């Protein structure tokens, strides 16, 4: 494998993981803009999505149904989280809310440990085909599928925001919650919607990536955190930024892992986040805040 | 003396002094040492979070930096142990001062994420810089703490050392919080703009609070190294950072004894769960108690965000004052 082949390989694995980060970042950005809360438990919804899908498949569910059910379950848990914690503490300080979502994250991770143990699980690739060779690099078909599905998911979301009434209401609440309330949009219902949406998207992201990596009870924490890095990279009020941030983070990480050391990729991601926070708090794309 | 009523302090000191004379069980002494170490760390974090109103979700990094500083100095450079403990807080404090200046400009979510990121960054480095830290397998061969022929090689002696350091920490913190610096911290907590307006150098004071919290965490790290005589990255991860934050919040932010109480409750609870959980759920693994931690975390924040020591809506009220007013800018 030549230098070019290696370059393509890094780029491609970066884009694959990056599209997962982008999905998680998207969920975070939408939730943050509606509720003003960073859902630090988002990573755990990735775990719950994957592991539920694994269990449902083992219980004899057909693949598609297992995945769909897992996504729905994650959405319901997201809604339950909103009602039981965030909704109750909506008048508390930001710090209190951050600690609450971290607490939920820890509890969910613990629950995942209880239910599934420390054993690593895998999902089968969605399509069975031989690895493809491109310019000296080898690409697993599942990676291509992850990329495509991420694009489709993003496309559907944009269609939702632009074409449907509910989507427009969400956008209105993202831009100006006070004005949205004045025209009769119920922010409390939107907050519930936002949290179940996070659950759904995170679970989807997890199911997409599980055939490439293995799934364990503690996989979500880092993925969730990378979602944050991606969101911050793109600017937390910017939906497009979340996607660009996710892909960019994936590529940065892939190159860092390839050229420095694979153990350092988390450190590089964190360093990138801190640097962006310090130099461009609005993200690389955002020059103005479009939020409240 | 500002820790509390003098007779109460004397009684507490007497009780704590006599504990090892009655308790000979090394398991219980060990727990008390851990409580002491964690209380030192959360006291520093309490200073930062409860008084200066800034948050750190990466405090375990400073704890780890202190532990590794002491361990590397002792094993690689054969520095006398007591000197290592004294030097342990230097690196964490220096790092805090260097990163604190830019990081403390951030607020709320951003500060929380930046400190969290710093913690994870440092944790990765503990694992990766194998040349210094020994990587995941850690550093062994750390001697016991001592000066010349006086060596603290058992838990009873170490208990006295740790709790004496804690007593000093408490006295220093109590005095500090009553000094002009402490009042300035509280002013920043209440309103940074107002503090700035009356001539308080908020950037410098926040940096001082951050530095002090790192100093105490580093000191505890140094003491930890010489107690267990082995250092690996495991105790300095994200979970530890969260536990320290929980300890600081649980007892009561803005109080002197709150973090000590928080440390005692969390460590006690961990040990209790370690003992109780296998009795109820024989199949449960070792890390099982984290579920309970998460739940406790959430419950405390929902029911008593001001901590246990403070009355409802007491002095911690201004901790709630920074609720995000979404859209507030537009309504002005």
């Amino acid at each position: 494998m030549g230098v070019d082949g290696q370059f393509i390989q890094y780029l491609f694995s970066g884009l694959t993981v990056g599209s997962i980060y982008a999905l998680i970042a998207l969920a975070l950005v939408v939730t943050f803009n509606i509720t003003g809360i960073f859902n630090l438990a988002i990573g755990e919804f990735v775990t719950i999505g994957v592991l539920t899908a694994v269990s449902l498949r083992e219980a004899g569910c057909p693949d598609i149904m297992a995945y769909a059910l897992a996504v729905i379950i994650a959405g319901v848990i997201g809604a339950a989280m909103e009602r039981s914690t965030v909704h109750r503490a909506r008048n508390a300080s930001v710090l209190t809310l951050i600690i609450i979502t971290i607490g939920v994250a820890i509890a969910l991770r613990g629950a995942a440990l209880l239910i599934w143990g420390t054993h690593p699980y895998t999902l089968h690739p969605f399509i069975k085909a031989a690895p493809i060779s491109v310019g000296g690099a080898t690409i697993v078909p599942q990676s291509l599928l992850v990329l495509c599905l991420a694009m489709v998911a993003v496309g559907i979301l944009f269609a939702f925001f632009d074409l449907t009434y509910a989507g427009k209401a969400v956008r209105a609440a993202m831009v100006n919650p006070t004005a949205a309330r004045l025209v009769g949009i119920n922010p409390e219902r939107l907050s519930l919607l936002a949290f179940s949406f996070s659950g759904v998207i995170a679970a989807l992201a997890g199911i997409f990536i599980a055939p490439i990596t293995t799934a364990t009870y503690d996989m979500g924490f880092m993925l969730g955190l990378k979602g944050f890095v991606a969101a911050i990279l793109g600017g937390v009020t910017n939906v497009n930024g979340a996607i660009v941030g996710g892909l960019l983070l994936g590529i940065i990480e892939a190159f860092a892992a390839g050229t420095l050391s694979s153990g350092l990729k988390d450190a590089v991601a964190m360093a990138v986040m801190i640097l962006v926070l310090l130099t461009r708090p609005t993200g690389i794309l955002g020059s103005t805040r479009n939020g409240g | 003396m500002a820790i509390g009523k003098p007779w109460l302090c004397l009684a507490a000191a007497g009780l704590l002094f006599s504990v090892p004379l009655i308790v000979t069980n090394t398991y219980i002494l060990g727990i008390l040492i851990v409580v002491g170490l964690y209380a030192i760390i959360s006291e520093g974090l309490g200073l930062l979070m409860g008084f200066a109103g800034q948050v750190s979700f990466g405090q375990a990094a400073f704890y780890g930096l202190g532990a590794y500083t002491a361990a590397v100095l002792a094993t690689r450079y054969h520095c006398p142990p007591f000197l290592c403990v004294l030097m342990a807080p230097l690196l964490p404090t220096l790092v805090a001062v260097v990163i604190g200046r830019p990081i403390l400009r951030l607020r709320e979510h951003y500060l929380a994420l930046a400190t969290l990121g710093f913690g994870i960054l440092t944790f990765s480095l503990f694992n990766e810089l194998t040349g210094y830290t020994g990587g995941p397998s850690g550093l062994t061969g750390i001697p016991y703490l001592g000066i010349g022929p006086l060596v603290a090689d058992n838990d009873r002696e170490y208990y006295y050392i740790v709790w004496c350091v804690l007593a000093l920490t408490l006295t220093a913190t109590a005095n500090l919080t009553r000094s002009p610096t402490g009042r300035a911290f509280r002013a920043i907590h209440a309103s940074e703009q107002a503090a700035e307006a009356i001539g308080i150098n908020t950037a410098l004071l926040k940096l001082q609070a951050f530095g002090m919290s790192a100093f105490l965490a580093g000191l505890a790290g140094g003491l930890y190294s010489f107690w267990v005589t082995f250092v690996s990255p495991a105790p300095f991860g994200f979970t530890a950072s969260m536990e320290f934050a929980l300890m600081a919040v649980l007892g009561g932010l803005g109080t002197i004894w709150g973090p000590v109480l928080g440390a005692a409750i969390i460590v006690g609870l961990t040990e209790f769960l370690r003992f109780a959980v296998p009795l109820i759920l024989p199949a449960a693994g070792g890390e099982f108690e984290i579920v309970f931690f998460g739940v406790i975390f959430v419950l405390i924040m929902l029911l008593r965000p001001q901590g246990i020591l403070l009355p409802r809506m007491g002095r911690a009220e201004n901790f709630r004052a920074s609720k995000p007013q979404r859209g507030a800018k537009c309504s002005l």
Side-chain angles (χ1 to χ4, degrees):
Chain A
M1 192 155 73
V3 177
D4 283 352
Q6 222 155 36
F7 183 86
I8 297 172
Q9 189 84 63
Y10 294 155
L11 191 68
F12 210 84
S13 61
L15 284 174
T16 311
V17 185
S19 51
I20 296 304
Y21 296 161
L23 276 178
I24 299 173
L26 201 65
L28 283 168
V29 166
V30 171
T31 315
F32 179 67
N33 281 297
I34 292 175
T35 62
I37 298 166
F38 270 154
N39 181 7
L40 280 143
I42 191 139
E44 311 316 318
F45 288 96
V46 177
T47 317
I48 289 173
V50 184
L51 296 179
T52 309
V54 169
S55 294
L56 287 171
R57 278 189 75 245
E58 278 172 5
C61 246
D63 279 8
I64 301 291
M65 211 169 91
Y67 299 154
L69 269 175
V71 167
I72 292 167
I73 289 171
V76 169
I77 296 175
M81 170 191 172
E82 201 271 352
R83 278 298 117 151
S84 60
T85 59
V86 176
H87 182 72
R88 277 166 205 275
R90 61 194 179 282
N91 294 323
S93 74
V94 173
L95 183 59
T96 304
L97 285 166
I98 296 173
I99 296 180
I100 285 177
T101 62
I102 291 177
V104 172
I106 296 173
L108 287 178
R109 195 188 327 158
L113 176 66
L114 233 195
I115 299 169
W116 290 286
T118 52
H119 180 73
Y121 296 88
T122 50
L123 282 174
H124 288 295
F126 299 167
I127 41 170
K128 289 185 185 69
I132 308 158
S133 184
V134 181
T138 328
I139 292 158
V140 196
Q142 177 71 25
S143 295
L144 282 175
L145 202 64
V146 168
L147 263 174
C148 294
L149 287 177
M151 300 295 166
V152 170
V154 169
I156 292 173
L157 277 173
F158 271 102
F160 168 74
F161 283 131
D162 276 343
L163 302 177
T164 67
Y165 182 79
K168 283 176 185 160
V170 172
R171 275 209 341 225
M174 281 164 71
V175 174
N176 190 335
T178 319
R181 192 192 275 267
L182 280 175
V183 296
I185 295 165
N186 183 347
E188 294 196 351
R189 199 178 299 156
L190 277 185
S191 162
L192 185 67
L193 189 73
F195 271 84
S196 34
F197 171 77
S198 317
V200 166
I201 293 286
L204 262 182
I207 291 170
F208 287 6
I209 196 86
I212 298 172
T213 59
T214 53
T216 51
Y217 80 98
D218 57 354
M219 71 183 290
F221 172 63
M222 257 311 157
L223 278 172
L225 215 54
K226 300 291 173 61
F228 276 104
V229 181
I232 283 164
L233 209 56
V236 285
T237 53
N238 191 329
V239 173
N240 300 324
I243 297 155
V244 176
L247 296 178
L248 195 62
L249 177 66
I251 293 168
I252 293 172
E253 263 193 21
F255 278 90
T259 53
L260 297 169
S261 132
S262 62
L264 275 178
K265 76 180 196 328
D266 295 344
V268 169
M270 293 306 133
V272 166
M273 173 175 81
I274 294 172
L275 271 179
V276 172
L277 276 176
L278 297 180
T279 54
R280 279 191 75 93
T282 51
I284 45 166
L285 284 190
S287 50
T288 51
R289 284 176 60 98
N290 59 2
Chain B
M1 282 295 280
I3 302 181
K5 293 189 177 72
W7 62 269
L8 211 66
C9 288
L10 265 178
L15 180 71
L16 290 168
F17 179 80
S18 51
V19 162
L21 304 176
I22 305 155
V23 179
T24 48
N25 187 330
T26 50
Y27 169 71
I28 293 173
L29 276 178
I31 292 174
L32 289 173
I33 291 171
V34 175
V35 170
L37 289 174
Y38 285 4
I40 295 170
I41 302 170
S42 43
E43 194 65 31
L45 202 51
L47 206 56
L48 183 71
M49 286 170 68
F51 286 95
Q54 309 298 310
V55 59
S56 167
F57 286 152
Q59 209 64 10
F62 296 126
Y63 180 43
L65 280 173
Y68 274 108
T69 306
V72 169
L73 284 174
T75 54
R76 189 182 276 237
Y77 301 103
H78 306 289
C79 181
F82 77 97
L83 216 63
C84 293
V85 169
L86 293 179
M87 282 159 80
L90 295 184
L91 183 64
T93 312
L94 185 71
V95 171
V97 169
V98 170
I99 66 159
R101 189 105 206 167
I103 275 190
L104 290 167
R105 284 205 311 253
L106 302 168
R107 269 157 225 219
E108 298 179 343
H109 284 115
Y110 302 96
L111 179 60
L113 280 175
T115 51
L116 206 157
F118 164 73
I120 290 165
L121 180 70
T122 315
F123 180 72
S124 307
L125 292 181
F126 290 151
N127 273 308
E128 287 297 310
L129 298 177
T130 18
Y132 278 94
T133 64
S137 43
L139 285 173
T140 50
I142 303 166
Y144 287 113
L145 187 59
I147 303 175
L150 296 167
V151 177
D153 58 358
N154 63 59
D155 285 356
R156 180 182 296 179
E157 286 157 7
Y158 219 84
Y159 167 91
Y160 283 123
I161 293 173
V162 169
W163 281 79
C164 282
V165 174
L166 176 61
L168 285 174
T169 306
L170 287 172
T171 314
T173 323
N175 285 331
L176 178 82
T177 53
R178 298 222 167 165
S179 73
T181 310
R183 285 195 295 273
F185 281 170
R186 267 178 277 197
I188 294 172
H189 190 169
S191 163
E192 219 172 306
Q193 278 136 329
E196 195 81 52
I198 55 168
I200 292 171
N201 185 345
T202 54
L204 181 68
L205 277 159
K206 287 198 280 186
L207 197 61
Q208 282 177 357
F210 199 52
M212 285 178 213
S213 78
F215 181 94
L216 288 176
L219 184 62
L223 287 168
Y224 169 82
S225 275
F226 289 101
W227 177 47
V228 291
T229 67
F230 165 72
V231 177
S232 76
F236 312 121
F238 167 73
T239 318
S241 284
M242 290 322 303
E243 274 182 33
F244 298 147
L246 182 56
M247 288 169 198
V249 175
L250 184 65
L253 283 171
T255 62
I256 296 299
W257 287 98
V260 182
L261 184 68
I265 293 174
I266 295 297
V267 174
L269 205 62
T270 314
E271 291 306 320
F272 171 75
L273 290 172
R274 196 166 288 165
F275 157 81
V277 168
L279 295 181
I280 307 159
L281 296 158
E287 291 176 68
F288 175 72
E289 61 267 11
I290 64 169
V291 193
F292 290 93
F293 270 120
V295 174
I296 292 163
F297 235 121
V298 175
L299 285 180
I300 286 288
M301 283 296 110
L302 285 176
L303 303 175
R304 291 193 79 85
Q306 75 281 25
I308 297 172
L309 281 187
L310 291 174
R312 259 177 187 284
M313 304 298 286
R315 267 151 56 197
E317 238 177 336
N318 50 20
F319 202 64
R320 307 166 65 92
S322 54
K323 182 203 170 344
Q325 289 292 327
R326 300 285 306 160
K329 264 182 236 157
C330 310
S331 58
L332 280 173

